[in-house]
Amino acid sequence: MLNKYMTMALGEARKSKKDIPVAALIVKNGEIVSLQINKREEDNQTIAHAEILAIIEANKKLNNWRLDDCDMYVTLEPCPMCAWAILNARIKNLYFGSVDLKYGAFGSAIDLSKLANSKINVKGGILEDDCNQLIKDYFENLRNEK
Amino acid sequence: MLNKYMTMALGEARKSKKDIPVAALIVKNGEIVSLQINKREEDNQTIAHAEILAIIEANKKLNNWRLDDCDMYVTLEPCPMCAWAILNARIKNLYFGSVDLKYGAFGSAIDLSKLANSKINVKGGILEDDCNQLIKDYFENLRNEK
């Protein structure tokens, strides 16, 4: 199941045109609630990371700012902004692919779940090679274009 | 000027109906770009803190996700979600009122400006007594209603 949802997120992330390809998927009781990609450049919005857009969509669909019993799958370890939004939304299980040593806020650069005193269950490294490759390809293409 | 803008933010925060009263104001070259209040409960949105809503409004008005040369005034020290959004938006000067010892992410609970290696200029305690009183009154009213 972890690989199935992460594969779906990876497929969505590949649709990114202008932005670093990252996708976030929210699942509740086996049903997909939201699936979004990073659109900071495309939407010209500071906060338009995949996780934030997925939370906004889920809030609307479930008509609740508390996303109880929801799991999130995201191709890259969340930054502090997204991490705190995830913790505030009460996401139950968080699964991420690539590790972000510079800004990852679930243990790599910092661990915000400790500050929140949250019981969130976090597991990184899901389809890690595929997630790493996706971002690597993006930056390689960017260099080739220049 | 600091007191003038913080007084405006305080006036806006007082309009809050269902939420903890917090307001954020963004100014660029002496002109007000955005002014928003916390609407997490009112809008049923996890991410609808005053700072996030003010950044979204400013992005749209300036048609840019980088809020260069913009200052923010906020009645309460930002949480980690808002702090990282503020740092990502390249806000130049941040002025806040109340200190948040539990979750304040500009030095009180944690200092995310260090993780971002940002040159943001931060000054807390602007009209601190008024900002503290506003939140104190909110929780007192909440207790009386129960």
Side-chain angles (χ1 to χ4, degrees), chain A residues 40 44 46 59 65 88, chain B residues 40 44-46 59 65 88:
Chain A
R40 181 173 277 179
N44 231 340
T46 316
N59 290 150
W65 71 261
N88 272 241
Chain B
R40 180 172 279 180
N44 231 341
Q45 280 284 348
T46 315
N59 289 151
W65 72 260
N88 272 241

Side-chain angles (χ1 to χ4, degrees), chain A residues 83-132:
Chain A
W84 203 252
I86 288 164
L87 292 164
N88 272 241
R90 282 94 159 136
I91 293 286
K92 197 174 179 181
N93 297 293
L94 172 72
Y95 304 104
F96 66 84
S98 298
V99 161
D100 184 351
L101 292 174
K102 204 164 176 193
Y103 300 127
F106 281 105
S108 297
I110 196 170
D111 190 352
L112 287 180
S113 65
K114 285 183 187 162
L115 182 65
N117 205 12
S118 163
K119 286 177 190 164
I120 190 169
N121 174 45
V122 181
K123 192 172 158 68
I126 315 292
L127 297 187
E128 191 170 10
D129 290 345
D130 296 335
C131 290
N132 288 347

